[in-house]
Amino acid sequence: MTDAPLDPAERSSIIRDSLGVGVATGAYGVGFGAVSVASGLSVAQTCALSLFVFTGASQFALVGVIASGGAPVSGALTAMLLGTRNTLYGLRLAPLLAWRGWRRALAAQVVIDESTAMSVTRATTPAARLGFLTTGVSVFVLWNLATLAGAVAGNSIGDPRTYGLDAAVGAAFLALLWPRLKSRRHQLVAVAAAAVALGTAPVVPAGVPVLTAAAVALLAGVLTRNGETR
Amino acid sequence: MIWLAVGITGVACYLLKLAGLSVPPRVLERPLVERIADFIPVALLAALIAVQVFSRGHSLAIDARAVGLGVAVVLLVLRAPFLVVVFGAATVVVRQAAPPPGPPSPRAASSPSRGAGPGPGRGRSPRSGRAA
C-alpha cells in the first residue's frame, strides 16, 4: 500500500461521499429505535445496543427474536452469526488501513457495511483511512442520536401494536435483505431459509427457528463449491 | 435477561470486528468461509422475516403483518428509502388494524382494504370518528 498524500480535490470528494453515506445510514437509527422499544426493550437497552453492538442487522435481529417471543440468548446468537460478516470486512481492511495497537482497537468498532464499502476500493492508505473514518464516525454519531430519538418517540406513543410497529419489524428485515438478493442462488437460500424457519417454528422454542435457518447457509456454501457462475 | 443478551451481543460483535482486523488473512480467507459468510445474512434475515410476519407463538398466522410486508415489497420495488419502507408498512397496518382514538385520516376510506383484514377493530366504520 502506498502512502502518497491526498490531493485536496480527492480529499474533499472522499469526505463528501462518506458524509452522504453517513447521513443516509445514520437516519435508519430512528427506525431501529422505534422498532426496538416496540419489541419490548427499554430506551436504555435500545441505546446500549446501538453504542456497543453497532451493526444494524445484528441489532434488528436481536430485537426481532425478542419481539417474536424468543429467548434473548437465541437473539444474541442470531445477532452474532450476522456479525460474522464484519470479520470478513476486517480481513480486507486490515492491510489497507494498516493500524496497530489502540488505533486498531478503536477502529474495530466502526467496521461495518458502509465504512467498508467507502474504503475498501481506495488505492492508498491515506485515502482508505479517510473514507473509513469519515463514514464510520459519521454513521456512529448519527446512528446513536437517531436511535435515541426513535426510542423516545416510540416509547411515548403507547401500545406499539396499535401503531403497526410490529409490522415494521418485518419491513425492516426485508429492507435489509433486499439488496442481498442479487443472484438466483441468494434468492433460493432466502426462500429455503424462510421455509425451514416456518417449518420448525411449531415444534422448537421461539428464536430457534431462525438459528436452524443458518444451516441453510452452511449447506448452500458447501454445495455451491464449483459453480460460481450461476 | 435482555440486559445479558445486550451485553453478550455487544462484546461478541466487537470481538468479531476486531478479529478481522487482527487475524492473519490466511486463517479465515478461504472460498468456503467466504461463501458461507455471504449466505448467512441472507438466510438469517429471510428466516427472521418469516417468523416475524407469519408466526405467533408456536402457530403460523396470516394477519395484518402480512399486509405490511406486502406494502414493504411494493415500496422496495419502487426504490423507496429505508425509513419510508419501515414506517410505510407500519402506517398501512395501522389503518387496517385498530383505528386510533382520534379522527381517522380521510384517506383511510380509500386505502386498500382486503377482506382478510385483522379481526379486532375492523367493525368500526371509518367515518364514525369524524364527528368528534
Side-chain angles (χ1 to χ4, degrees):
Chain A
M1 236 19 79
T2 61
D3 277 330
L6 291 173
D7 69 74
E10 189 185 7
R11 192 181 167 77
S12 58
S13 127
I14 291 177
I15 290 178
R16 194 175 51 241
D17 292 354
S18 300
L19 284 179
V21 171
V23 170
T25 311
Y28 295 18
V30 174
F32 172 71
V35 162
S36 179
V37 294
S39 307
L41 278 77
S42 67
V43 173
Q45 287 163 342
T46 300
C47 289
L49 279 176
S50 281
L51 275 172
F52 299 113
V53 177
F54 188 57
T55 174
S58 294
Q59 295 177 228
F60 272 109
L62 178 57
V63 303
V65 169
I66 291 173
S68 65
V73 170
S74 306
L77 275 173
T78 309
M80 278 180 224
L81 279 174
L82 278 166
T84 53
R85 72 190 190 292
N86 292 328
T87 308
L88 295 189
Y89 295 159
L91 286 178
R92 308 245 164 75
L93 291 173
L96 198 53
L97 298 175
W99 274 315
R100 308 235 156 261
W102 64 270
R103 285 191 181 81
R104 183 161 73 189
L106 277 181
Q109 182 63 344
V110 293
V111 173
I112 52 169
D113 296 330
E114 292 78 15
S115 58
T116 304
M118 295 306 289
S119 58
V120 81
T121 55
R122 310 287 177 197
T124 67
T125 290
R129 284 178 174 177
L130 184 65
F132 176 82
L133 280 181
T134 314
T135 311
V137 172
S138 61
V139 173
F140 187 82
V141 170
L142 293 167
W143 175 260
N144 278 286
L145 290 175
T147 297
L148 178 63
V152 169
N155 216 23
S156 64
I157 58 173
D159 179 9
R161 284 178 210 286
T162 315
Y163 295 88
L165 279 178
D166 60 337
V169 182
F173 286 132
L174 186 67
L176 291 170
L177 173 65
W178 201 259
R180 297 179 188 277
L181 297 176
K182 52 201 173 207
S183 75
R184 177 71 64 194
R185 183 172 295 156
H186 289 83
Q187 293 160 11
L188 285 174
V189 167
V191 170
V196 167
L198 286 182
T200 52
V203 289
V204 299
V208 177
V210 174
L211 290 172
T212 60
V216 174
L218 281 176
L219 193 65
V222 172
L223 290 181
T224 57
R225 192 169 43 203
N226 293 320
E228 288 303 310
T229 47
R230 234 182 311 163
Chain B
M1 274 308 275
I2 292 182
W3 272 118
L4 182 66
V6 169
I8 292 174
T9 309
V11 170
C13 284
Y14 174 75
L15 291 178
L16 284 167
K17 294 169 181 171
L18 185 63
L21 287 182
S22 312
V23 169
R26 270 162 281 117
V27 179
L28 286 174
E29 209 157 43
R30 295 178 184 162
L32 177 64
V33 174
E34 295 213 4
R35 275 198 308 276
I36 293 174
D38 185 37
F39 286 139
I40 277 179
V42 174
L44 291 185
L45 290 169
L48 283 162
I49 294 167
V51 170
Q52 183 67 37
V53 175
F54 297 109
S55 78
R56 196 174 285 288
H58 282 289
S59 53
L60 305 187
I62 294 187
D63 58 23
R65 294 169 299 170
V67 179
L69 190 70
V71 171
V73 169
V74 171
L75 289 170
L76 284 164
V77 168
L78 296 175
R79 297 173 185 277
F82 183 85
L83 285 178
V84 174
V85 174
V86 172
F87 289 110
T91 308
V92 169
V93 170
V94 172
R95 290 183 176 168
Q96 290 256 323
S105 134
R107 269 177 295 167
S110 62
S111 74
S113 95
R114 300 253 189 104
R122 268 191 69 81
R124 267 210 238 172
S125 152
R127 287 204 197 110
S128 63
R130 296 195 70 192

